[in-house]
Amino acid sequence: MKAKTISLLGRDGKKIEGVMMRKALPTTAERVRYPGFKQESTILKAGTYRRPGAKSLECDILLERDVPVRLRDGVVIYVDVFRPVDGKPVPAIMAWSPYGKEVGGQMLDDVPERSGVPLNATTGLEKFEGPDPSYWVSRGYAIVNPDKRGAYKSEGDILYWGHQDAMDGCDVIEWIAEQPWCTGKVGMEGNSWLAVSQWFIAAEKPEHLAAIAPWEGFSDHYREAGTRGGIPMPEFPLMIANTFSSDNGLLEDQPRMIVERPLIDNYWEDKAPLLENITIPAYVVASYTNPVHTHGTFAGFRRISSPEKWLRVHNTGEWFDQYNDEHMDDLRRFFDHYLKNEDNGWENTPRVRLSVLNPGGEDIINRVENEWPLNRTEYRKLHLNASDSSLTYKEPSDDGVIVYNSDEAGSKAVFRLIMPEKTEITGYMKLHLFASALDNDDMDLAVSVEKLSKDGKQLLGFGGTPPVATGYLRASLRKTDTTRSTEAEPYYPFNTVEKLTPGELIEMDIEIWPMGLIFEKGEILQLTVGPYRASDATIPFGKARITIPKDSYTFNPCEDMEMMTIGGNDTEVSDTTDLTAMNPLHNKGRHAIYTGIPHDSYLYIPVIPNKN
């Protein structure tokens, strides 16, 4: 059966044809944990609970549930509004995603140990990765949680970002600003999908969007999430797509688009917002260890035109950092300043607060800087030496080659440098590599840089995982755009395929995502080069069983109230397209890595001297 396709309208007014669609799960599916459609206005009392074990509500909250909002083309979507009970106008914060207005197909309960976030850190009123209404309403804000186009009971098809989705977000922002309970000032906040949405919506410059707070979110879907390094990677997007629900439409089949449209075209151009259009104040949160969002969050901060923008780089996990009390209070000061016009001194907050990781030691947290990347960076070359698998500051005098077999599990090339002195490496890296595919016409390469102990053991960071800087590249897409590349940051147009001749020696630059690491004297920097191998995305979204009141919204544990439990299924899917079979990797046989004169392969690293 031929897949259904639709056309989308790009930001240039031209149609994007051939956008494939897939089924989404119905709201009756266990996996999506839909709590039901109920249009009501009710007061949630202070001290009550949304779910057992969560935090109790800090104040009385007026909840307007499943409020219809008509978009510019007549499509009706539904939003939940949480606001103070006194009816006085307040600024609003919108959280834009298809994950459900609350509960929903993705929750922290599905993640091992809730990623370190205690159940009682929030009330459970929040949508996944969004702001907790109890916290914000008690401090004089409204929270608006939409089910965006197509999600759950909202009309239409679920779209993956882009111009049309962003315009929907603009429509809702303007609707919020017109409500009698709103002052006309609207902000946005949230993590991951909710952060990505902020880049897109803010770039369309809605009149009443006054400030944004993107908390780790990529800003170029092709280059940073779906087809990183030109290698189609549909596994994670497919896992996410399998959690979406729509009773009224279909879901944009982005996992299949990743596989079937592997080069940059007008579809993928529409999935990268025009960041330079963003001029409103921004509170940006980033980390070095997010496998999807690291590069795009830093890029978003760098590229937006906002004269008032702040960057905070943390050392933990995206959700753990987001729901930390201290960080919520910090964000509130930002919103108080720009959404309430409070003269609270926020403008004196350092523009960059940087963490630097020191696995095996003590991390640096909130070091004050003036910019990103750091102006005092001293770039150095670490030359690969095949003769002893080392990295050296001095170029090897002899040439050499290391060969591994990409068909053999665990086969790779490893190079190490024992640090001669304490060294900080913070910023952007690249690997300048001479290589050949001895038995094939292409290579899919994976590169990693990490810190090892003095005796060569892996060092773990937050969550028990090692902090690793990574890079990927399909060799046939190695061409760079010289007008946008810098010495440390190659930029690929990904629109020209240059196949290899087996045995042909090629030269390429492999982008490595930003990292911040401290090495003590004697600790080891390890560079690994090997064949890219797809990994399963296995977060069991939908598996956790969530108990909530059956008929009311919150409950008092002292009262007898009927409860219901939803969820408990992480296997339901509505579309079973085998993307793995459609997406063969381009590795076969032996890969050769060349070092020394005249084929000087080197790792380009950003060394940070101490401040004067």
Side-chain angles (χ1 to χ4, degrees):
M1 180 178 177
K2 187 176 181 181
K4 179 182 177 181
T5 62
I6 64 171
S7 62
L8 297 176
L9 188 66
R11 65 173 70 96
D12 58 2
K14 297 179 180 179
K15 285 188 176 181
I16 302 167
E17 303 288 356
V19 179
M20 287 175 281
M21 308 298 288
R22 64 188 284 130
K23 292 180 181 178
L25 290 168
T27 55
T28 54
E30 285 183 314
R31 184 173 194 174
V32 302
R33 289 183 292 225
Y34 184 53
F37 185 86
K38 189 176 183 180
Q39 292 184 310
E40 64 175 346
S41 179
T42 184
I43 293 178
L44 311 179
K45 301 299 292 182
T48 60
Y49 296 82
R50 176 57 174 154
R51 52 179 299 204
K55 180 190 290 187
S56 63
L57 274 59
E58 295 186 40
C59 65
D60 289 354
I61 298 174
L62 176 59
L63 166 61
E64 294 177 296
R65 191 173 178 187
D66 285 316
V67 179
V69 177
R70 189 173 298 276
L71 303 178
R72 65 200 177 283
D73 59 355
V75 166
V76 174
I77 70 169
Y78 295 96
V79 308
D80 286 352
V81 180
F82 301 84
R83 57 188 179 91
V85 298
D86 60 14
K88 294 180 181 178
V90 293
I93 300 171
M94 183 180 76
W96 188 258
S97 77
Y99 290 156
K101 299 193 299 303
E102 45 89 31
V103 191
Q106 297 184 42
M107 297 188 70
L108 282 176
D109 300 69
D110 299 320
V111 181
E113 299 181 358
R114 287 178 50 91
S115 195
V117 181
L119 179 58
N120 64 3
T122 64
T123 60
L125 300 182
E126 71 277 359
K127 66 159 49 181
F128 181 58
E129 300 179 322
D132 185 350
S134 174
Y135 176 90
W136 290 99
V137 172
S138 68
R139 290 157 177 82
Y141 290 85
I143 294 294
V144 181
N145 288 344
D147 274 343
K148 68 193 256 335
R149 182 186 296 256
Y152 293 87
K153 296 293 185 180
S154 291
E155 296 175 359
D157 298 325
I158 300 176
L159 302 179
Y160 270 75
W161 304 293
H163 172 70
Q164 281 195 201
D165 182 70
M167 292 308 297
D168 287 353
C170 293
D171 289 348
V172 178
I173 286 170
E174 297 310 309
W175 175 86
I176 293 170
E178 293 172 356
Q179 301 311 300
W181 46 260
C182 182
T183 61
K185 289 283 188 77
V186 182
M188 295 185 70
E189 193 266 341
N191 171 251
S192 192
W193 188 296
L194 290 74
V196 178
S197 298
Q198 293 177 62
W199 302 129
F200 280 92
I201 293 171
E204 299 292 346
K205 303 176 81 70
E207 179 182 354
H208 290 93
L209 182 60
I212 58 173
W215 214 288
E216 297 205 56
F218 62 74
S219 52
D220 186 325
H221 192 284
Y222 181 100
R223 292 178 173 86
E224 297 163 352
T227 317
R228 189 175 162 195
I231 304 172
M233 301 177 182
E235 295 82 10
F236 181 78
L238 179 60
M239 178 190 69
I240 300 300
N242 282 332
T243 69
F244 290 160
S245 175
S246 179
D247 266 359
N248 296 289
L250 298 172
L251 166 67
E252 186 178 335
D253 195 351
Q254 192 159 97
R256 187 160 180 164
M257 296 293 284
I258 289 170
V259 171
E260 296 205 358
R261 292 172 79 156
L263 299 179
I264 290 280
D265 60 9
N266 63 346
Y267 174 79
W268 292 115
E269 289 170 350
D270 191 56
K271 303 304 183 187
L274 296 179
L275 294 167
E276 289 77 9
N277 284 357
I278 300 174
T279 58
I280 58 175
Y283 178 111
V284 182
V285 179
S287 75
Y288 307 112
T289 53
N290 193 300
V292 180
H293 300 307
T294 289
H295 186 277
T297 313
F298 282 109
F301 172 77
R302 293 173 69 181
R303 288 176 53 198
I304 62 175
S305 300
S306 308
E308 298 167 290
K309 59 182 180 179
W310 284 264
L311 174 67
R312 184 173 61 79
V313 183
H314 67 82
N315 68 329
T316 57
E318 54 189 322
W319 303 311
F320 184 88
D321 183 83
Q322 181 181 13
Y323 294 116
N324 175 283
D325 289 343
E326 179 182 347
H327 300 153
M328 284 194 288
D329 289 344
D330 193 59
L331 176 62
R332 179 176 54 81
R333 290 183 60 245
F334 168 79
F335 277 140
D336 283 350
H337 187 70
Y338 289 108
L339 300 187
K340 291 186 174 183
N341 299 320
E342 289 188 7
D343 184 12
N344 60 6
W346 171 262
E347 67 276 12
N348 299 319
T349 303
R351 290 302 182 100
V352 176
R353 289 171 287 175
L354 202 64
S355 291
V356 186
L357 309 182
N358 187 10
E362 185 174 347
D363 295 347
I364 294 173
I365 301 174
N366 287 337
R367 185 176 73 196
V368 173
E369 300 287 353
N370 296 318
E371 72 287 316
W372 173 269
L374 305 183
N375 288 340
R376 66 183 186 279
T377 303
E378 298 175 357
Y379 286 101
R380 299 179 188 175
K381 293 180 180 179
L382 296 180
H383 304 272
L384 281 60
N385 190 336
S387 65
D388 59 2
S389 295
S390 68
L391 295 166
T392 64
Y393 285 110
K394 183 178 179 181
E395 184 179 354
S397 56
D398 298 326
D399 62 348
V401 61
I402 290 179
V403 178
Y404 62 81
N405 192 331
S406 66
D407 296 319
E408 295 178 359
S411 186
K412 58 194 174 184
V414 178
F415 303 86
R416 289 182 172 182
L417 168 70
I418 299 175
M419 282 296 179
E421 59 185 359
K422 184 175 182 178
T423 305
E424 178 185 334
I425 295 175
T426 297
Y428 296 83
M429 292 179 275
K430 76 172 183 182
L431 177 62
H432 186 77
L433 194 67
F434 287 87
S436 64
L438 300 179
D439 309 305
N440 196 27
D441 62 359
D442 210 344
M443 296 182 285
D444 287 341
L445 296 177
V447 172
S448 65
V449 176
E450 63 184 309
K451 169 184 167 179
L452 305 179
S453 67
K454 294 178 181 180
D455 55 359
K457 294 180 180 178
Q458 197 170 53
L459 295 169
L460 305 181
F462 177 81
T465 58
V468 180
T470 58
Y472 303 96
L473 186 63
R474 176 162 284 178
S476 59
L477 293 172
R478 64 193 179 278
K479 181 180 178 181
T480 59
D481 181 342
T482 56
T483 64
R484 297 190 63 172
S485 297
T486 68
E487 187 65 24
E489 299 176 73
Y491 184 88
Y492 315 93
F494 291 125
N495 57 11
T496 303
V497 177
E498 297 176 333
K499 287 288 190 177
L500 287 61
T501 301
E504 175 190 3
L505 192 152
I506 62 169
E507 185 177 4
M508 54 189 158
D509 285 328
I510 302 177
E511 175 189 43
I512 299 173
W513 277 11
M515 176 54 73
L517 283 175
I518 295 171
F519 293 81
E520 301 294 338
K521 180 179 179 180
E523 291 181 330
I524 298 169
L525 184 153
Q526 176 171 285
L527 166 70
T528 302
V529 184
Y532 169 77
R533 295 183 174 91
S535 59
D536 292 333
T538 56
I539 300 175
F541 284 127
K543 187 173 183 178
R545 295 173 61 81
I546 308 299
T547 298
I548 56 176
K550 183 177 181 180
D551 296 315
S552 63
Y553 203 85
T554 60
F555 69 96
N556 186 329
C558 297
E559 299 176 357
D560 185 20
M561 183 171 294
E562 187 176 0
M563 308 290 282
M564 67 177 182
T565 299
I566 53 180
N569 190 328
D570 65 332
T571 62
E572 291 173 299
V573 295
S574 58
D575 191 314
T576 56
T577 303
D578 186 356
L579 294 178
T580 303
M582 297 166 56
N583 184 36
L585 294 175
H586 288 195
N587 290 318
K588 181 180 179 181
R590 297 165 297 158
H591 295 172
I593 308 298
Y594 301 88
T595 70
I597 301 173
H599 305 122
D600 180 26
S601 295
Y602 60 84
L603 178 66
Y604 201 58
I605 62 170
V607 176
I608 308 300
N610 292 329
K611 289 184 175 181
N612 294 329

